[in-house]
Amino acid sequence: MLIFEQFLNGLQYGMTLFLMAAGLTLVFGVMGLINLAHGSLYMIGAFACAAVAQATGSFWLGVGASLAAAAAAGALIELAVIRRLYHRDHLDQVLATFALILIASEGTRWVFGSFPLYLSLPPSLSGTVSLGGLVYPSFRLAVIGLGLAIAVFLFWLMRGTRLGIRIRAGEADREMIGALGVDIRSLYTVVFALGAGLAGLAGALVGAVQSVQVGMGEPVLILAFVVIVIGGIGSIGGALAGALLVGMTDTLGRALLPAALATIMPQASATAVAASLASMLVYILMAAVLVWRPTGLFGVRG
Amino acid sequence: MRYTLTLAMAALLAAPAMADPIKVGMITTLSGGGAGLGVDTRDGFDLAMKLAGDAAVDITVITEDDQQKPDVAVQIADRMIQSEEVDILTGIVWSNLAMAVVPAAVQQGKFYLSTNAAPSALAGAQCHEDYFSLSYQNDNFHEAAGQAATDAGYENMVIMAPNYPAGKDALTGFKRFYEGEVASEIFTQVGQTDYAAEIAQIRDADADAVFFFLPGGMGISFLKQYSGSGVTTPLIGPAFSFSQDILPAAGDAALGIRNTASWSPDLDNEANKTFVDAFKAEYGRLPSVYAAQGYDTANLILSAVATADIADRDAFRDALMAADFPTVRGKFRFGPNRHPIQDLYLREVVRLDDGTLTNRIVDTAMTDRGDAYAADCTN
Amino acid sequence: MSRAGTVNAALLAVLIGGAIAAHLAGELFVVTLATKAAIFALAGVGLNFALGYGGLISFGHAAFFGLGGYVTGILASHAMSGEPLTTLPYTMNGTNEMLAIWPMAMLVCGLAALAIGALSLRTSGVYFIMVTLAFAQMIYWFAVGWPRYGGEDGLSFYVRNVFPGVNSMQPLTWFAICTGLLLLALVFTATVMRARFGLALQAARRNPQRTVAVGIRPFGIRLTAFVLSAMITGLAGSLYADLNRFVSPAMLNWHMSGEIMVFVILGGVGRLTGPVAGAMLFVAMEHLLGGVSEYWPALLGLVLLGIVLFAPGGIVGILTGGRRRV
């Protein structure tokens, strides 16, 4: 039963990472842009949700606000900064978006102060659900559900809508679809805002069970990059697979390594070694995947 | 980050000149995710200086942001020592920064008064006559939690901390006074955000209680996730996850949880009432334990300045050692290794009538507790 | 002298002249700041070797910066305690001689880079950026959790290591040592890039297919460049440890990788003295902006953003007025 629960936890953590990685891989894949500031959009979503939920008393209004605020911030950033970077190399993108992190973090601190904000789940999500003998938080089930819903939404968006067809066409050949009369500039703004909105939504939901504070986006950002690189950049399916793989590896590593190591060494050192190893595990996974398949699991061979 | 706060000026020139002017260099965290703790430290310290009025006329405080980076802290300390020629350094929040700065600072003939971090190395073998801790020794709150757990009759507990030296020290400190069985010892990752795997282990362990040390954002995340997990094993921990900078963000998830500290806003003494009221009036929020320690540190400096001249280092050191200042903790003295001997309290998170969450003392966990390393200190 | 040569000389003159002037004015801390800039510049010169000339965008150079630092810290702490580092296969003691520490730091970084590079160079583009980051993060987490040398708390060694014949604690002397090594690294880079190896490396960046066509295998050349790059950055890490008399996992953190990259991009990618200009500006801004506002990192962000948007050749690009060579 414990193993099953940990398995579910891994799934849930993977979905949490997917919420963050989906927007990142969309932007990465469509525009070829490395956006380190994706974590800042996640933070903006969480802060917007906390502020609105505090003012109105409604978590769901806060979630709406997080989508809107992050998408608006994304559109603004795209218009002011990002659109000048598409034709530049990755280095310039890294530096510019690194600069955006500094501005967003300190700007947020200037507006909201230095202390973490209050944000909690609505009553409908804060209970537990019984799954055949296993008591499981309903929130975590909701995250799994939302992750799946967003995956389906993105597949539909990319495969079944005009917007998706244009995006994929733009991915394949920018000049061509420009020549066909599609306004590629506004298309990119829309895609970037969509990616930002997804990050903001993730920030609001995950922020409700974590600490809403300045810098909260950074640890998740690195993991989100790990996820999309393992999956293969630009692939929604890859991001999903990568997220689940990372989520499982991390959770099961933390849960099972101490006991596993205790069979070959004394208990006291096993606990400490296992903890160190567990924190390195996702990076070992990533290096192993890339050495085996240099463009990720679902990446285009090139 | 550089604010030069010259406290009171021309109007007081007529006051009797007691001693040479003193320069205090405060290195603390004022930007980034950990800024809340540094801001409280600084605000508590500045408040004491402000309330002192005339008495602080000869004290200049230079405050700098260490960005929570040890290398930056070392460089600021170098500058304060080389260029600003400060007499006293203070303000560092984090143990790893203290380990980087303190040994070199005291070797260069500066006093260091710790407002928070007090790692075991500096209390024991590497102690120094010019290094004083105004806060605690790092193990103290954990030891008090261990004692409180023993007093509560817990016989089988899960204990949990991040996998870094302060985390390992926390578990060691706890076990020093906890007499029951340890069902499971869990090390989490530094900066971890998802605790589902650990909560599942806690549920599975079916223990009497859980001791956890997860400072800052880690604690907020854990508390929120634990309260929604349906696991009802009671929690106990050091004040770092229940401090006034954390409580508003943790909300009801922290309500009713017992935690240990050397101070609490409801501690009943005159100095503490003055402090809490003045802090609320000045900054519009309740003070945290970091603010209280900053405030006490400033008052210790004021008390020493009133009786000794910094130019006479031995006299000044003796004046510090006397610890003759109005502490917000009610009583306070230094042990032989210049770390506090003080009472440690068991507190409980409560909601006030106006909705604010804060701590209330429920018991004294330990009386006149020093620390485990004093015997190793021969300097 | 060409325009680029004039700019190179001018930048170094500002660094060295500034330090000497500060020393004469009694501003010891400014000398320390100049030393920090020289060390960061050296780390940047190392990264630029792989990134600027070889097109190998490593987001993991903090690994080598930190390893160099840890080699220094560990050797120095063993020298202080007198406890041997290892007794198998033979007794190896710590040392506080910089001339022994530097080759050791460079050797360890070179070996680490050989392993990391051999695996990472199977990938390219964004994947290379991220896999180098992954290796650096592994080492970072290892250092955080490994109690022997302080873990997250880091390792203090109180007294700067010694250099024969001089007092390394004296700020200007220490600046001279660091700047001397920086100049050596610059001369080394300039020489190598004009030699056969350097030309092949740059050719492999510009046109990999043609390089293969003329019978040069890029893998070996890139791996060599990556190793040399890591060794230079590792040496900088050793100096940084000595500057602070302290090492900690913060030197291995991805933020550090980002900062080293910032020095290079800010100064001008693939420019010989780009990292010098970038490190000087970065250190100066960090110091000066702090006095302006509590929210100074945001101002730093705005300046960085301005440079990347409006001066894509970096500072050296502005000064030489030439197009970026990458």
Side-chain angles (χ1 to χ4, degrees), chain A residues 58-155:
Chain A
S58 161
F59 176 76
W60 299 110
L61 278 180
V63 170
S66 72
L67 256 174
L76 188 73
I77 290 173
E78 203 275 346
L79 291 172
V81 178
I82 303 289
R83 72 170 28 176
R84 301 165 199 270
L85 297 173
Y86 294 133
H87 59 281
R88 300 278 190 82
D89 57 31
H90 290 322
L91 273 180
D92 284 348
Q93 299 171 353
V94 167
L95 181 60
T97 52
F98 185 75
L100 286 173
I101 295 182
L102 296 177
I103 298 170
S105 290
E106 293 307 310
T108 308
R109 210 163 65 80
W110 184 59
V111 176
F112 292 99
S114 301
F115 299 97
L117 290 198
Y118 174 71
L119 175 62
S120 79
L121 291 170
S124 54
L125 286 181
S126 55
T128 54
V129 178
S130 182
L131 299 172
L134 174 67
V135 180
Y136 204 70
S138 30
F139 169 78
R140 295 193 188 274
L141 288 178
V143 165
I144 296 175
L146 182 78
L148 287 173
I150 285 187
V152 170
F153 166 76
L154 286 175
F155 278 119

Side-chain angles (χ1 to χ4, degrees), chain A residues 6 109 119 209-210 254, chain B residues 30 192 197-198 224-225 248:
Chain A
Q6 296 295 24
R109 210 163 65 80
L119 175 62
V209 291
Q210 289 183 4
R254 274 186 285 138
Chain B
L30 299 172
Q192 187 171 321
E198 288 76 11
K224 282 181 170 182
Q225 291 167 28

Side-chain angles (χ1 to χ4, degrees), chain B residues 1-3 30-32 35 39 42 64-65 67-72 74-76 78-80 82-83 95-97 99-101 103-104 107-108 119 122 126 163-166 168-169 189-191, chain C residues 26-30 32-33 36 40 140-141 144-147 150-154 156 158-160 169 171 240 243-246 248 250-251 255-256 259 286-287 289-291 293-297:
Chain B
M1 192 129 330
R2 182 169 174 196
Y3 313 95
L30 299 172
S31 65
V39 167
R42 177 196 67 193
E64 293 274 348
D65 175 21
Q67 307 171 42
Q68 205 176 335
K69 293 180 185 165
D71 51 330
V72 174
V74 170
Q75 288 150 17
I76 294 172
D78 276 353
R79 196 192 84 209
M80 286 181 167
Q82 290 171 1
S83 298
S95 291
N96 57 335
L97 274 67
M99 287 302 291
V101 167
Q107 276 187 357
Q108 293 177 68
L122 298 179
Q126 294 179 41
N163 181 37
Y164 65 177
K168 288 170 186 158
D169 287 353
Q189 292 169 27
V190 181
Chain C
E27 291 286 343
L28 292 187
F29 184 68
V30 178
T32 303
L33 276 185
K36 182 180 175 183
F40 278 171
Y140 168 75
W141 284 110
V144 167
W146 194 37
E152 165 101 349
D153 279 357
S156 268
Y158 315 120
V159 185
R160 192 164 289 151
M169 276 313 272
Y240 197 61
L243 176 73
N244 299 325
R245 287 93 58 204
F246 174 75
S248 81
M251 279 177 79
H255 263 267
M256 195 67 232
E259 276 182 22
E286 191 179 46
H287 180 64
L289 291 179
S293 154
E294 187 175 328
Y295 304 101
W296 66 271

Side-chain angles (χ1 to χ4, degrees), chain A residues 27-85:
Chain A
V27 168
F28 216 134
V30 174
M31 298 175 271
L33 178 92
I34 298 191
N35 180 20
L36 293 183
H38 197 72
S40 301
L41 296 162
Y42 169 88
M43 174 182 74
I44 288 171
F47 273 83
C49 183
V52 170
Q54 185 81 322
T56 62
S58 161
F59 176 76
W60 299 110
L61 278 180
V63 170
S66 72
L67 256 174
L76 188 73
I77 290 173
E78 203 275 346
L79 291 172
V81 178
I82 303 289
R83 72 170 28 176
R84 301 165 199 270
L85 297 173

